[in-house]
Amino acid sequence: MTAPAPMLPVQSAVYARLRDDATLAGLVAGVYDYVPEDVTYPYIVIGEATETPDNRHGGFGRQTVVTLHVWSRYQGYTQALRIGARVTALLDHQPLTLPGLDWIATRFEFSQTLTDPEPPGDIRHLVLRYRVVTEQH
């Protein structure tokens, strides 16, 4: 028997955690999986994910790496970094409720600041990545 694929439950749990936090809601216009055309800055996008096996003797596990994107038009990175700090406080080493799976760990992996090079060059981008380790019940 193989473990259920945790990518969707992990994405759903991360989305719910971010969406339901009042402090984060005061910092961003929204958290999206699909970004509408008329979105207001700043906002967060739940982006790419990878999933790899993390099995042990007698059990099935997975590691799901989720990438989040913070987008801002603030001059400089201060706004994006404050948002990123709140996201990390909500996810790093914090348990997630995952239907059909046991949560083992959530770990912050890295962040990177980027500037959109397209004119007028006023969009700031913060990439955040988290590793979620799960096991089958």
Side-chain angles (χ1 to χ4, degrees):
M1 178 185 210
T2 60
M7 198 176 289
L8 180 57
V10 166
Q11 179 178 339
S12 298
V14 167
Y15 174 75
R17 174 70 50 85
L18 300 181
R19 177 199 64 211
D20 295 344
D21 183 67
T23 301
L24 186 61
L27 297 173
V28 297
V31 178
Y32 302 98
D33 179 27
Y34 172 80
V35 182
E37 281 189 37
D38 60 344
V39 69
T40 302
Y41 289 87
Y43 61 91
I44 298 171
V45 176
I46 297 175
E48 306 74 21
T50 60
E51 186 175 279
T52 56
D54 190 24
N55 300 324
R56 59 180 168 71
H57 183 67
F60 295 99
R62 302 280 175 93
Q63 292 195 21
T64 305
V65 178
V66 178
T67 303
L68 304 176
H69 303 272
V70 177
W71 296 93
S72 170
R73 285 197 125 144
Y74 187 84
Q75 291 182 350
Y77 288 105
T78 302
Q79 183 180 58
L81 291 171
R82 283 189 180 134
I83 294 165
R86 181 63 187 163
V87 170
T88 298
L90 291 169
L91 296 176
D92 190 32
H93 290 83
Q94 300 301 312
L96 295 172
T97 301
L98 303 163
L101 298 164
D102 292 326
W103 172 86
I104 305 301
T106 302
R107 297 183 192 104
F108 170 77
E109 279 201 347
F110 85 91
S111 62
Q112 179 182 7
T113 56
L114 301 166
T115 301
D116 187 345
E118 295 298 317
D122 64 343
I123 298 175
R124 300 294 186 256
H125 180 192
L126 176 66
V127 181
L128 301 160
R129 193 162 71 192
Y130 303 87
R131 181 175 303 271
V132 181
V133 182
T134 58
E135 287 186 351
Q136 180 179 350
H137 285 306

